Amino acid sequence: MLLSSYMGTPNLFSGTKKKKFYAYFIPEGKKQGIMVGWDECEKLVRGKKDARFKGFKTEEEAKEWLKSGARYDMKSVQKLEKGIYFDAGTGRGEGVEISVTNEKGKNLLHRALSKEELNSFKKYSLGKEVTNNYGELLACRYAIEIAMKGKEKKVFGDSKLVIEFWTKWRIKKDVSEETFALAREVAGLRKEFEMKGGEVLRISGDNNPADLGFH
């Protein structure tokens, strides 16, 4: 469902099941708007390399993001703990993509990868050959590495699988060899991080400033 005019749109969903709002901006033609539900938004942005989109709990937050210029580094409305945040997603139609930011949404992957390896949004594209869970795991690895370099004590993500299982070395062997090997590596890195006083914590995807806006 499209909220065709996002400026001044009334709350259409009071008294109904809670919805998630997705704002999108497509530079070509300067198209923008707010959709209710990811499926409808995905139809508009899939395959468009320069499209920007992000999910929000409320329509007002989605409006503010569009007003700000649809910037991924927009300061989070909610005050978040200082730390390093990570996420992965597949919504741009180019395969899995990962994001690592600070609590204000500022991109940080350039501290772990060369600028040439990052896309135009300062995220890292892994392509279509890996799973989104693998992307979350790799993003967690870079987040911990960046935290250790910057002497940050907290790393946050919204993947229960990665935070509560894989990076604690609780993983089944039915995953790919590449995923199994990466999980072993990140579990060791997490252990080292925690021995130095660090923490890896889970938060809601709605509050994750590294959120790519699609799941």
Side-chain angles (χ1 to χ4, degrees):
M1 180 177 182
L2 170 64
L3 306 185
S4 56
S5 176
Y6 73 87
M7 295 296 292
T9 304
N11 184 355
L12 304 178
F13 303 101
S14 57
T16 63
K17 185 178 179 181
K18 190 174 182 181
K19 303 288 184 180
K20 188 166 184 179
F21 298 84
Y22 287 86
Y24 70 89
F25 174 71
I26 303 172
E28 184 180 353
K30 295 185 178 179
K31 298 176 183 176
Q32 66 181 27
I34 298 170
M35 310 295 291
V36 179
W38 169 240
D39 290 345
E40 294 302 313
C41 183
E42 183 181 26
K43 292 176 184 176
L44 293 171
V45 301
R46 179 171 285 278
K48 294 181 172 60
K49 294 183 178 180
D50 294 329
R52 301 176 212 156
F53 40 92
K54 193 170 178 66
F56 299 90
K57 281 185 177 180
T58 68
E59 187 184 346
E60 286 303 315
E61 289 176 323
K63 290 177 187 176
E64 287 303 314
W65 187 69
L66 289 175
K67 287 180 186 178
S68 79
R71 301 193 328 268
Y72 282 127
D73 62 347
M74 177 184 172
K75 211 170 189 177
S76 177
V77 174
Q78 179 177 349
K79 186 174 177 66
L80 297 170
E81 285 190 71
K82 189 172 186 298
I84 310 298
Y85 294 74
F86 69 90
D87 187 39
T90 58
R92 224 182 297 279
E94 301 294 321
V96 176
E97 183 175 340
I98 66 175
S99 168
V100 178
T101 76
N102 66 8
E103 69 280 1
K104 296 179 180 179
K106 181 179 179 181
N107 290 300
L108 299 177
L109 274 172
H110 63 278
R111 297 184 183 178
L113 298 165
S114 69
K115 292 182 179 179
E116 291 72 27
E117 292 177 276
L118 306 180
N119 63 26
S120 58
F121 301 108
K122 299 181 182 179
K123 312 298 184 183
Y124 183 44
S125 300
L126 301 176
K128 299 179 180 180
E129 301 303 314
V130 302
T131 66
N132 192 69
N133 287 331
Y134 179 90
E136 291 275 6
L137 184 60
L138 185 61
C140 183
R141 171 191 156 188
Y142 289 136
I144 294 174
E145 288 178 349
I146 291 167
M148 291 175 74
K149 286 179 183 177
K151 297 184 179 180
E152 296 283 354
K153 293 299 183 183
K154 293 186 178 182
V155 166
F156 300 88
D158 54 55
S159 171
K160 180 176 181 179
L161 180 65
V162 167
I163 292 173
E164 297 184 11
F165 294 93
W166 284 5
T167 59
K168 291 184 176 181
W169 195 231
R170 298 172 183 169
I171 185 170
K172 296 180 180 179
K173 289 189 176 180
D174 59 355
V175 300
S176 69
E177 290 184 11
E178 187 177 19
T179 299
F180 193 78
L182 181 60
R184 186 194 299 273
E185 178 187 347
V186 182
L189 188 65
R190 176 176 179 171
K191 186 175 181 179
E192 180 185 352
F193 179 55
E194 291 177 336
M195 287 178 66
K196 294 179 178 179
E199 293 181 273
V200 179
L201 305 165
R202 188 171 170 229
I203 60 166
S204 165
D206 293 326
N207 298 328
N208 189 351
D211 180 41
L212 287 161
F214 39 88
H215 297 282

